[in-house]
Structures are given as structure tokens and as C-alpha cells.
Amino acid sequence: MKYINEFRDGNLAQKIAARIVEEALPERRYSFMEFCGGHTHAISRYGISDLLPDNVRMIHGPGCPVCVLPIGRIDHALTLALERNVIVCTYGDTMRVPASGGMSLTRAKARGGDIRMVYSALDALRIAQENPEREVVFFAIGFETTTPPTALVIRTARELELDNFSVLCCHVLTPSAITHILESPEVRDYGTVPIDGFIGPAHVSIVIGSAPYVHFAEEYRKPVVIAGFEPLDVMQSILMLIRQVNEGRCEVENEFVRAVSFDGNLTAQAVVSEVFELRPTFEWRGLGEVPYSALRIRPAFARFDAERRYDLAYTPVPDNKACECGAILRGVKKPLDCKIFGTVCTPENPMGSCMVSSEGACAAHYSYGRFKDIAVVAG
């Protein structure tokens, strides 16, 4: 398949790996954060870490939208389903994220809540049309990639005068989180790690373009390479970052030129701007409160804002004390550093959000990396 098979060529991967070993200076260490959960999944699935020299370290960032969703936001959806007799629609992974008291949307559904998995925001809109006697709320999560479809359904609902439909908006923004990681004293208090550069997200960058990352290269002196999701994309981006570090450059480079432009998708950006505005602050799991890092529905579309409609006040809820998901999202710890990883906490019975989505660091490592690590320990 074009643009797939040629980016999974094992011989080419070995050649890029050899070049990385050749160009990585033995006297220094390189620490690169892949912000996107899709890259975390690719690194684990294709064994990319095994091809890197010991002095090149990949750090998993908070780029999994399910993973960074705080418990208090899930509790909002649970309240709507169990106490307000609302039909709650959301994406599949969101249904399994642990919330307060060991509850999740899946468990709430088993208790009688009308909670439905959908594949798109448009599915939720159709459910509202098919059930005019019921209130329907779309629990919308995700980065810039999934925000335009949510904006479109809100605009469509207004055009259709669909009064029984609203959106619980939990869309978050990638650049704000990167800024927070680089400069926030609160994050430093939680614990963080040195970062020499970033692998920029793929799908997010298709929407927002490469322009927003220039800020990190110029002001924070951190190189950024936007990469596709295939193994050769990731490996080439690592090589490009190594070259920037060696040469003392801090630039934004675009490895994913087949899909990402400088300005991004202007049409998608326009509809998002029409429907949404910035929140002053928003809690992220593992990062705490992050200023201007999420979106809320503009007053012009207030009738479709579930927070306003149901007067939902946000209350922070602490994570499970045994779960290290917050530290893993900051790159401070690895999945195996968590005492419940692979025992109490598994994809079938997740204790933390990092074990839920395939893009979560724990789920990716559980699927592709844990046997390798066990073999090393045994040896």
C-alpha cells in the first residue's frame, strides 16, 4: 500500500539505525520526547528503542488524549448518565478510563446508564435526531485532530435547531502542554526530565501546521521535528534531531512533508475558531492546571454547551495512589516503575488511564515491550 509499505522497510530501518549510531556522539546523551501517543505506540510496536544506541533515550510525553483526561471530567459524564437520565455518547477508549470510586463509563453502563460508544461526533448527532424525547450529550475529547468534527456538529445542531443535543467539551491543545512542560515550576515540582528536542505530532500538525512549533525552537531553544507514524518516519526524525543537537541548531523541521504544511488546514482552523474559544485554565492528568490549554464553547453556541446546560462545576479528583500514570506522562517514570503494572493493572482491568488507550505508554509497553524487559531482568 502506497505510503505504508515503503515506510516499514526493514533494510532501510537498519540503514537509518546505523546512521544514528554513527552520528550520535558517544560523549553525550540525547533525550527526545515524542509528544504524540501514536509515536509511543509505533516505538513500542516496531521495537525502535532496540535499534537506538544506549545514549539516545526516548521519553513518552502527554500526547494521549485519553491518558491526560482528569478524573473530574469523567465524573461529569457519569453524573449526566446516572443522575440526569441523559444519553451520553463518546469514543470507545473514553468509556474505560477509571473515574471516582473505581467507576468508569463502561461500569456505569452496566448499572443502567444509557452510555453509547460512537465512532464520530456525527453519530452522536444522529442519536439525538432519533431520540427527540431524550437529552443527548456528546462527551468530546481529543487534541486538535478531533476538534474540527466536534465544531461542525455543534454548528449543524444549531442549523437543525436540535434542542436536545449538547457537547461536554474536553478538547485540549498540544502547544500549550509543551510550553507547560518546558517552563512551569509546578511541573518541575512534580518532577521532570531534561529534554533535548521534540518529535512533533503527526495528525495534530496536519490541522495546525508546523508554524506553532517555531515558538519552541526560537524561545526555548528546543529543536522540533514533525514526524509521521510509520517506523521509518520516527527513525528519520530521531536522526534529524540528533543532527540538530550536534550542530547546535534549534529549528522546526518537517519530516512528514507528505501530509503537513506550514500553515495547516485553514478551513478546519476557521470552523474551530467560530465555535470554540480558549479556556483560561484546564487540568491535565500528570501536569496539573495548564493555562490556555483547552477549548470551551463560545457564548454564541451556549445552548449546545453541556457544562452550561446542566450547571456542571468542576472538582479536581486525585488519581489512584498506586498508579504512576502522572509521572509516566511527564517522562519521569517508565511503565515498569509502577508497582501495579502488568499485575493489578492490565488493559482488561486498567487502574490508570495510561493502560486504557493503545496510545498510552503503559498499554503500548504491555503489548509490545514487557517480555523483552522480563528477559533482560532474568538474564
Side-chain angles (χ1 to χ4, degrees):
M1 183 182 296
K2 190 174 184 182
Y3 297 140
I4 296 292
N5 293 338
E6 59 266 51
F7 289 92
R8 297 180 180 178
D9 187 305
N11 291 328
L12 286 177
Q14 292 292 342
K15 291 179 180 179
I16 298 175
R19 186 62 60 87
I20 288 173
V21 171
E22 179 183 333
E23 297 194 25
L25 302 176
E27 66 272 14
R28 70 158 298 152
R29 295 187 62 82
Y30 303 82
S31 296
F32 302 129
M33 176 175 279
E34 85 274 358
F35 187 90
C36 180
H39 290 141
T40 298
H41 181 85
I43 289 169
S44 294
R45 178 182 179 183
Y46 296 106
I48 291 174
S49 295
D50 295 339
L51 298 176
L52 302 178
D54 292 339
N55 61 333
V56 177
R57 178 191 174 194
M58 300 308 300
I59 303 167
H60 308 314
C64 163
V66 171
C67 303
V68 302
L69 189 65
I71 289 175
R73 298 291 172 183
I74 307 165
D75 285 351
H76 278 170
L78 290 169
T79 297
L80 294 175
L82 295 177
E83 299 178 16
R84 303 291 185 90
N85 194 34
V86 167
I87 299 175
V88 174
C89 302
T90 193
Y91 300 125
D93 285 344
T94 312
M95 296 185 65
R96 301 174 55 243
V97 181
S100 295
M103 186 61 73
S104 67
L105 290 171
T106 296
R107 291 178 178 177
K109 180 179 177 68
R111 293 190 181 187
D114 196 343
I115 302 167
R116 308 185 189 187
M117 187 191 78
V118 295
Y119 292 99
S120 70
L122 187 59
D123 288 344
L125 192 74
R126 290 187 182 126
I127 290 172
Q129 290 176 296
E130 294 166 359
N131 296 270
E133 75 288 353
R134 298 284 304 280
E135 293 283 326
V136 176
V137 172
F138 175 52
F139 186 18
I141 75 159
F143 293 105
E144 292 89 342
T145 312
T146 55
T147 306
T150 304
L152 280 172
V153 297
I154 291 174
R155 196 169 70 177
T156 302
R158 186 175 70 171
E159 293 169 356
L160 296 173
E161 298 184 353
L162 201 60
D163 292 331
N164 67 325
F165 177 79
S166 59
V167 171
L168 183 58
C169 180
C170 292
H171 285 297
V172 290
L173 304 172
T174 304
S176 301
I178 297 176
T179 299
H180 200 64
I181 290 171
L182 290 173
E183 70 174 20
S184 169
E186 289 83 5
V187 171
R188 287 195 291 272
D189 288 342
Y190 294 150
T192 187
V193 292
I195 298 173
D196 297 308
F198 291 91
I199 295 181
H203 290 159
V204 165
S205 300
I206 293 173
V207 176
I208 68 174
S210 61
Y213 307 108
V214 173
H215 166 71
F216 305 110
E218 293 182 349
E219 183 169 341
Y220 296 103
R221 306 303 298 163
K222 301 293 183 183
V224 179
V225 176
I226 298 166
F229 285 129
E230 296 304 321
L232 296 192
D233 286 317
V234 177
M235 294 189 67
Q236 181 65 24
S237 69
I238 294 170
L239 179 59
M240 293 165 73
L241 283 170
I242 289 172
R243 287 172 175 170
Q244 284 208 50
V245 171
N246 289 350
E247 297 168 11
R249 293 186 291 117
C250 295
E251 302 172 2
V252 177
E253 294 184 308
N254 182 11
E255 185 276 338
F256 199 31
V257 291
R258 61 190 187 276
V260 173
S261 64
F262 182 77
D263 293 319
N265 187 325
L266 298 179
T267 302
Q269 293 171 30
V271 70
V272 168
S273 180
E274 177 189 355
V275 176
F276 295 112
E277 63 184 9
L278 285 173
R279 291 181 186 263
T281 187
F282 191 85
E283 183 187 6
W284 291 52
R285 190 188 298 257
L287 297 182
E289 291 288 333
V290 183
Y292 301 106
S293 65
L295 299 173
R296 64 186 179 192
I297 298 170
R298 289 187 181 274
F301 296 88
R303 59 195 279 207
F304 304 104
D305 185 346
E307 285 185 72
R308 288 186 174 103
R309 178 177 290 198
Y310 300 102
D311 193 25
L312 298 174
Y314 181 71
T315 302
V317 179
D319 290 339
N320 185 325
K321 291 183 179 179
C323 176
E324 297 287 2
C325 187
I328 291 168
L329 287 169
R330 297 190 305 276
V332 178
K333 293 188 176 182
K334 297 179 179 180
L336 281 183
D337 295 327
C338 183
K339 294 179 180 179
I340 61 175
F341 171 82
T343 54
V344 176
C345 184
T346 65
E348 292 75 27
N349 184 45
M351 294 291 106
S353 59
C354 293
M355 189 62 91
V356 174
S357 169
S358 63
E359 294 186 351
C362 292
H365 195 75
Y366 185 91
S367 297
Y368 304 112
R370 72 189 195 280
F371 297 115
K372 174 195 68 176
D373 291 330
I374 290 171
V376 170
V377 172

